[in-house]
Amino acid sequence: GPSEKLDVDNTQVLEDLGAALYASKVCSYAQGLGIIKAASDAKGWDINLADCAKLWRGGCIIRAALLEKIQAALVTDPNLLNLMVDPGFAKELNDRGPSWRRVVTLCTASGIPCPSMS
């Protein structure tokens, strides 16, 4: 990585990291649910994605609080094409976009790989 130390506001970096992590997790769930939906459609399994989120929340290793919001979005619109186009999640992603970009930019400038965020 670069030898020069970057001048950053540590408080801002921590805030940005929280926002970027949240946005990355939403995108990861959206991608995973999209894969499950595509397989379900292709195989005729009729998987209810809201039920998946409910099951994961209830006892799986994941058990993330974010799953409650995901389940609510999928109950509201069972035909949701992608979690990221749900109005609530879309707003949250848009609101966190600048922080997310700052984190990826800082990682790149610091020579730190961040494939799960970029």
Side-chain angles (χ1 to χ4, degrees):
S3 57
E4 69 182 62
K5 184 178 182 325
L6 298 174
D7 183 28
V8 297
D9 176 348
N10 289 338
T11 301
Q12 182 67 52
V13 170
L14 287 174
E15 289 174 15
D16 287 348
L17 278 169
L21 178 61
Y22 180 86
S24 297
K25 288 193 304 186
V26 169
C27 289
S28 292
Y29 278 114
Q31 183 178 24
L33 290 166
I35 291 169
I36 291 169
K37 175 139 178 51
S40 176
D41 291 349
K43 302 287 185 179
W45 293 336
D46 196 30
I47 292 176
N48 182 317
L49 296 180
D51 287 346
C52 285
K54 181 180 179 179
L55 287 170
W56 292 340
R57 227 180 69 236
C60 181
I61 195 167
I62 301 170
R63 296 188 82 171
L66 177 57
L67 286 167
E68 191 170 338
K69 290 174 69 174
I70 291 171
Q71 181 186 3
L74 293 167
V75 165
T76 299
D77 183 359
N79 297 314
L80 190 63
L81 292 176
N82 186 293
L83 191 60
M84 294 185 294
V85 298
D86 168 76
F89 281 110
K91 180 178 180 345
E92 289 182 334
L93 290 172
N94 284 328
D95 290 349
R96 288 167 172 81
S99 292
W100 197 1
R101 287 189 292 279
R102 283 192 296 269
V103 167
V104 172
T105 300
L106 179 59
C107 286
T108 301
S110 301
I112 300 170
C114 59
S116 63
M117 287 191 178
S118 57

